[in-house]
Amino acid sequence: MIRWNKVWRDLWLDKPRTILVILSITIGVIGVGVVGQAKYFLAKGMENSFSSSNPANVTIMGESFDKNVMSQIEKLANVKMVQAENTIYGKMRLLKDQDDVSDHQQWKSLKLLSVSDFKKIKLNKLYLEQGNWPSDNQDVVLERTAMDFVGAQIGDEIIIQTPNGKEEKFHITGTVLDPIRETSHISGYAYAYTTLETIINRKLANSVNTALIQVSPSVNNKKLLDDLAIKARDILNSNHISVFTIDLVEPNKHWANDIVKSTGTILEIYGLLGLLLGTGLIFN
């Protein structure tokens, strides 16, 4: 049987070791408790932010198509809502003075998204943080993390280059929060947004080329989501439209969910080891 009186007396007489034990236990308790709470609140916050955007579960990008194709996709079983937009992958750089030789003049990978009306977005909603929505054929807004990624400020001008080499000048009018996107520093893309009318008038595209699909609650596993995406792809193919990419997002799953969970679990393990270390020092 452990003689606790003797244990505590020995610890009091050996103050350096006592301090070490107290610190070890404190670190362990903080590691397990604080990290666990932080993990919970962070996950909850991400879930709320993600849900507020009303995210699409299936995003299909291909050649240009019309409203008839979207109507066919909307009639599929387990489809709750659809939305069409245009996606252009290209490059962008800041338009600075000739004397400016900073790294911000270098080309950055770009994803330019275009919608008919920013105020009527149903899926993958955007939230204006600063400035104004694009109002004419020269305007774009950037995702807030893209501003630092490219070193831009509201009011700056940028040059956008499409895959075929065509270059157009645009004016940054504001920044937005896009909850479903990875940060630009993680994805390597600067996200820019403008109106569908703008890219058509500037001859960067002639129609929409991306279908966003939100599934009904009955689609509650990856297989059902895959099956629906295949059916939507087949509709585009049957209309002689080539499909380039298909992105799937499981319902109520933030893009950083796995990263936060794994990182939090690792930190909790370290905290638990610290707690076990302190306990071991007491018995030593």
Side-chain angles (χ1 to χ4, degrees):
M1 180 179 295
I2 300 174
R3 299 175 61 185
W4 289 105
N5 290 337
K6 185 177 184 302
V7 169
W8 295 116
R9 186 173 65 253
D10 290 343
L11 287 176
W12 175 252
L13 293 176
D14 190 357
K15 291 182 181 179
R17 187 172 63 177
T18 301
I19 295 173
L20 179 61
V21 170
I22 293 173
L23 287 176
S24 299
I25 294 177
T26 302
I27 292 172
V29 171
I30 292 175
V32 175
V34 175
V35 172
Q37 288 294 314
K39 178 182 174 183
Y40 170 78
F41 286 112
L42 182 59
K44 195 67 177 177
M46 289 194 311
E47 180 183 336
N48 293 337
S49 173
F50 191 63
S51 298
S52 69
S53 69
N54 199 26
N57 304 111
V58 180
T59 302
I60 302 179
M61 176 187 170
E63 295 175 324
S64 299
F65 52 83
D66 56 23
K67 293 181 179 179
N68 177 54
V69 173
M70 292 300 295
S71 297
Q72 294 178 48
I73 294 175
E74 192 171 16
K75 293 177 182 177
L76 287 174
N78 295 323
V79 171
K80 181 180 179 181
M81 194 181 301
V82 298
Q83 178 176 296
E85 61 184 34
N86 186 275
T87 305
I88 296 175
Y89 286 92
K91 295 179 180 179
M92 69 162 286
R93 68 176 177 85
L94 284 177
L95 184 61
K96 294 286 189 178
D97 297 332
Q98 293 297 324
D99 295 334
D100 188 348
V101 293
S102 67
D103 291 339
H104 294 146
Q105 281 196 291
Q106 302 301 315
W107 289 103
K108 302 285 187 179
S109 296
L110 168 75
K111 188 173 183 180
L112 177 64
L113 302 167
S114 307
V115 298
S116 297
D117 189 342
F118 285 102
K119 297 180 181 179
K120 295 182 179 180
I121 295 177
K122 298 182 295 182
L123 300 175
N124 295 357
K125 293 180 180 179
L126 304 172
Y127 297 93
L128 185 68
E129 286 206 327
Q130 298 182 44
N132 303 297
W133 292 111
S135 58
D136 61 39
N137 292 337
Q138 298 289 330
D139 296 343
V140 295
V141 292
L142 263 61
E143 210 282 327
R144 60 180 184 176
T145 62
M147 297 292 281
D148 179 63
F149 182 65
V150 301
Q153 296 179 350
I154 295 176
D156 284 347
E157 290 186 321
I158 60 173
I159 294 178
I160 290 179
Q161 184 185 85
T162 62
N164 61 9
K166 180 178 175 63
E167 294 185 1
E168 293 288 338
K169 186 189 301 183
F170 287 88
H171 177 251
I172 301 174
T173 62
T175 62
V176 297
L177 168 64
D178 190 345
I180 72 161
R181 308 287 172 197
E182 305 96 330
T183 65
S184 292
H185 292 283
I186 292 178
S187 68
Y189 283 96
Y191 299 102
Y193 310 83
T194 190
T195 62
L196 188 61
E197 180 184 12
T198 294
I199 63 167
I200 292 176
N201 290 342
R202 302 288 291 272
K203 294 181 170 46
L204 297 179
N206 53 24
S207 183
V208 296
N209 67 352
T210 305
L212 305 180
I213 306 170
Q214 187 180 72
V215 300
S216 62
S218 58
V219 180
N220 52 16
N221 61 63
K222 186 70 162 49
K223 184 181 184 306
L224 291 175
L225 196 61
D226 288 339
D227 292 342
L228 192 146
I230 291 172
K231 291 177 181 178
R233 180 204 62 189
D234 291 342
I235 287 177
L236 268 69
N237 289 339
S238 66
N239 285 273
H240 309 291
I241 300 167
S242 298
V243 174
F244 302 145
T245 62
I246 299 178
D247 296 322
L248 304 180
V249 176
E250 295 182 49
N252 303 318
K253 187 175 182 180
H254 190 279
W255 61 266
N257 184 67
D258 293 335
I259 298 174
V260 170
K261 277 189 174 181
S262 59
T263 303
T265 300
I266 292 172
L267 292 176
E268 283 178 330
I269 291 174
Y270 277 122
L272 182 60
L273 290 175
L275 185 59
L276 293 175
L277 174 61
T279 305
L281 288 173
I282 291 177
F283 286 96
N284 187 25

